[in-house]
Amino acid sequence: ELENQLTAKSKTLDELKQSLALNGSAEQTPEAQCLRIAELCEMKDSIVNQVAQLKTSMESILEQWRAYDEIYAEVSLMTTRYLYCIDLCKPSGEEASLEALKKQVKTLQ
C-alpha cells in the first residue's frame, strides 16, 4: 500500500516538475514560483516520510521472516527425528505376522 502511494507521489512530483519546466519558459511571478517551490518541498517531505514508514514496515516483515525460518528449521529437525524413531520402532515383517505374535504371547504367558 505504501509502495503504491509512493509510486503515485513520485509520478505526481515528476508531472509537477515537467509542468514547472514548461511553465518556466513563460514568465511567472516570484510569488507563484515561491508557492510552487513550497508545494514541491511539501510533496518531497511527504515522500520522505512514506519511505521511512516503508523501511520500518519492511524491517518488521524481515524480522518476522527470520523468526519463521528459525522455527521452520527447528520443526523440520524435530520431524526428521520423529520419522527416524518411527522407522526404528517398526516391527519387521516376521514380527508383524499373526503367528509370530501368537508365539510372543505364549512366550510371555
Side-chain angles (χ1 to χ4, degrees), residues 28-48:
Q28 289 185 351
T29 64
E31 293 84 11
Q33 288 177 346
C34 286
L35 287 174
R36 187 59 131 184
I37 289 171
E39 184 179 324
L40 290 174
C41 287
E42 188 177 311
M43 290 178 155
K44 183 190 88 88
D45 291 342
S46 173
I47 290 171
V48 167

Side-chain angles (χ1 to χ4, degrees), residues 73-85:
E74 186 177 333
V75 168
S76 179
L77 180 62
M78 289 170 34
T79 303
T80 302
R81 287 179 180 165
Y82 172 75
L83 292 173
Y84 178 73
C85 288

Side-chain angles (χ1 to χ4, degrees), residues 16-75:
L16 287 172
K17 285 179 181 178
Q18 288 176 346
S19 174
L20 184 61
L22 292 175
N23 292 336
S25 59
E27 289 188 30
Q28 289 185 351
T29 64
E31 293 84 11
Q33 288 177 346
C34 286
L35 287 174
R36 187 59 131 184
I37 289 171
E39 184 179 324
L40 290 174
C41 287
E42 188 177 311
M43 290 178 155
K44 183 190 88 88
D45 291 342
S46 173
I47 290 171
V48 167
N49 288 336
Q50 289 177 6
V51 167
Q53 289 175 351
L54 183 60
K55 283 182 181 179
T56 303
S57 175
M58 291 304 294
E59 287 172 1
S60 172
I61 290 169
L62 286 174
E63 186 60 37
Q64 291 173 1
W65 273 108
R66 282 187 204 106
Y68 169 81
D69 284 341
E70 289 173 9
I71 292 169
Y72 180 82
E74 186 177 333
V75 168

